[in-house]
Amino acid sequence: MLISSLNSASFADTLILIVAADTANLQATKQQGDVVRIYDQTTDQTLGFNIFHVSQYLPDLTGNGQVFLTEDQVTKLNQLLTDNGFAGELAADLSPKFVIGYVKSLVAHPDSDHLSVTEVEVDHGQTLQIVCGAPNVAQGQKVVVAKVGAMMPNGQIIWPGALRGVSSDGMISSARELAVPNAPQKRGILVMPADIPAGTPFDLEKAAQVVAAQNAAE
């Protein structure tokens, strides 16, 4: 897994790389040149890297929030790591993290009166089990799925997890969580048009049009 982000307001010219979820053990850091390795102090597992002055190494890298690195950019970063005495362990991840999903099935959570356990088809024919607490989720919908490895606009990272003992690999998202312009503030997932194929990468402009139409109809 490789989650990459830029936040120019808080960390100028710094690329933040996450390769594993935080662990319960103490974390430690080691800096060599413009590279800081963050790792589990007990197991020595790498959790991530901070790359300072990243524009010197990836001058074409732009964006704010989660950014997606090309294979060439990852190769250059691995060279930077090895040049500074670290293992070049980064692997490119080119799969979309926000996609249209099709809710194939939905059943009540066995230990909750407000959660549902869904089976959602996403890209490449993959089906994910996702626990959802939205009151408007229903079988047959097209929804927006934040897959494992997605970084939400508020900085939250989606990891594999469990809700009340049921595993959940992703999140069915609301317009507000996706930072869609003029998103309603009430609880409820964003339901997308039925004719969008499952696995289609999420399009913020299209979502804004859907939200505008839904707001006008209310």
Side-chain angles (χ1 to χ4, degrees), residues 113-135:
D113 60 2
H114 70 280
L115 296 175
S116 300
V117 182
T118 68
E119 297 288 333
V120 185
E121 181 182 346
V122 289
D123 48 326
H124 304 296
Q126 182 184 18
T127 297
L128 303 177
Q129 177 171 285
I130 301 176
V131 178
C132 181

Side-chain angles (χ1 to χ4, degrees), residues 47-164:
L47 303 176
F49 295 93
N50 293 337
I51 310 296
F52 299 136
H53 306 113
V54 67
S55 61
Q56 296 181 17
Y57 309 105
L58 301 178
D60 56 341
L61 182 64
T62 60
N64 194 55
Q66 187 170 19
V67 295
F68 297 92
L69 303 175
T70 66
E71 291 185 350
D72 180 63
Q73 289 170 329
V74 172
T75 297
K76 290 178 179 178
L77 289 174
N78 277 326
Q79 185 62 56
L80 177 64
L81 295 183
T82 56
D83 288 347
N84 285 278
F86 298 109
E89 57 187 289
L90 304 177
D93 183 354
L94 305 179
S95 63
K97 294 296 176 279
F98 294 89
V99 300
I100 301 301
Y102 172 68
V103 182
K104 297 170 62 176
S105 68
L106 179 149
V107 297
H109 191 290
D111 190 32
S112 171
D113 60 2
H114 70 280
L115 296 175
S116 300
V117 182
T118 68
E119 297 288 333
V120 185
E121 181 182 346
V122 289
D123 48 326
H124 304 296
Q126 182 184 18
T127 297
L128 303 177
Q129 177 171 285
I130 301 176
V131 178
C132 181
N136 65 324
V137 65
Q139 184 175 345
Q141 289 174 334
K142 292 291 180 63
V143 297
V144 181
V145 175
K147 296 164 56 181
V148 169
M151 177 180 287
M152 305 301 292
N154 67 359
Q156 175 191 3
I157 295 175
I158 305 301
W159 297 107
L163 290 173
R164 295 201 176 184

